[in-house]
Amino acid sequence: MITNTTPKILVVDDDPSIRNLVHRFLNQKYQVDSAADGETALAVFEKFKPVLVILDWNLPDTTGYHLCQEMQRRTNVFAIMLSSRTDEADKLKVLSAGADDYICKPFGLEELAIRIEVVLRRMRPVTPSRIVFDQFAIDSARREATLNDRILKLTTLEFNILYFLASHSGQSWSRQQLIEKIWGWNCQDTGEEQVVRVHIGQIRKKMIQVDATASQFIKTIRGYGYRFEPPSRTAMAIC
């Protein structure tokens, strides 16, 4: 049953057959709206306020890549990108822009449904807490991370990764484990592991822009994964 609390999804695709098919399919379970171009999509986005957007890579007046960046500058909306491009560099570019998933065309509606469910699972409430390591703090309730009292401008996925690592400080995690814990699916190939590297790189870059020594916070475990280990090992969690 569709109610006012049912998650809202915005579908953006200039192909009317794909857009209408996906709209009708998702409308059985979610509140759905759609748009055929970037300008219309942003107008609908502001009014509809979706929790997730499904974006086609190629649009008449922009790209899904730039539209994803613009939408995530406005809210912490989840994003799934659709594209006929199969090049890994394109996939990594989109994911580094903040997209939560990437689906190659042609795709099955059941596959899309499962991937949407996986992304929306990240909306599950957690016990609000604030973790502090001297000059670094991350607050799950406010969805805010600060370093030297400056807010880090993280995408939704970057925040999730950083919060997970910080809340397990000192513990090493393989790239496969991070994909399972944060993305919510089983890692099948090295391409997916490369996605983790891209996001870790983005987080480090944003931290270094505030404090050059912050590059040491996330340690790379060669051939395995990562560990969060700030200079001060004394953490304070405030619930």
Side-chain angles (χ1 to χ4, degrees), residues 1-108:
M1 179 184 296
I2 307 297
T3 68
N4 290 335
T5 60
T6 301
K8 295 180 179 180
I9 298 178
L10 173 60
V11 180
V12 184
D13 198 308
D14 65 334
D15 186 326
S17 61
I18 294 177
R19 184 177 67 254
N20 294 334
L21 180 64
V22 172
H23 188 137
R24 288 196 301 271
F25 176 74
L26 296 180
N27 203 45
Q28 302 173 59
K29 187 175 180 180
Y30 304 100
Q31 298 183 70
V32 184
D33 208 336
S34 58
D37 57 73
E39 182 178 0
T40 304
L42 286 174
V44 174
F45 179 82
E46 287 296 326
K47 183 177 180 180
F48 188 53
K49 301 188 184 306
V51 296
L52 183 147
V53 290
I54 298 173
L55 303 170
D56 184 30
W57 177 290
N58 294 311
L59 295 168
D61 54 350
T62 186
T63 65
Y65 172 81
H66 289 110
L67 197 55
C68 176
Q69 289 185 312
E70 176 58 31
M71 288 178 171
Q72 291 203 328
R73 269 195 287 267
R74 303 184 184 193
T75 73
N76 287 325
V77 67
F78 293 117
I80 295 178
M81 191 70 66
L82 304 177
S83 177
S84 57
R85 303 189 184 199
T86 58
D87 188 82
E88 185 176 339
D90 290 328
K91 180 178 180 180
L92 296 177
K93 178 181 179 181
V94 169
L95 292 172
S96 66
D100 297 272
D101 202 354
Y102 183 103
I103 303 177
C104 293
K105 295 181 178 179
F107 59 89

Side-chain angles (χ1 to χ4, degrees), residues 136 152 154 158 161-166 170-171 173 178 196-197 199-208 213-221 225-231:
F136 171 76
L152 299 175
L154 304 172
E158 289 166 358
I161 293 170
L162 185 56
Y163 183 79
F164 180 84
L165 290 173
Q171 183 174 345
W173 296 88
L178 290 175
V196 179
R197 295 189 183 95
H199 285 292
I200 292 292
Q202 290 292 106
I203 294 169
R204 282 174 170 158
K205 179 180 178 181
K206 292 176 180 181
M207 295 182 80
I208 291 172
T213 65
S215 62
Q216 303 173 14
F217 281 26
I218 302 178
K219 304 286 187 181
T220 297
I221 312 302
Y226 304 95
R227 180 176 68 247
F228 187 88
E229 194 170 291

Side-chain angles (χ1 to χ4, degrees), residues 96-130:
S96 66
D100 297 272
D101 202 354
Y102 183 103
I103 303 177
C104 293
K105 295 181 178 179
F107 59 89
L109 291 174
E110 292 302 326
E111 176 191 2
L112 176 62
I114 291 173
R115 288 179 178 266
I116 288 173
E117 289 177 4
V118 168
V119 170
L120 292 182
R121 282 191 205 126
R122 300 171 198 163
M123 295 173 60
R124 290 175 178 170
V126 298
T127 303
S129 62
R130 185 167 183 262

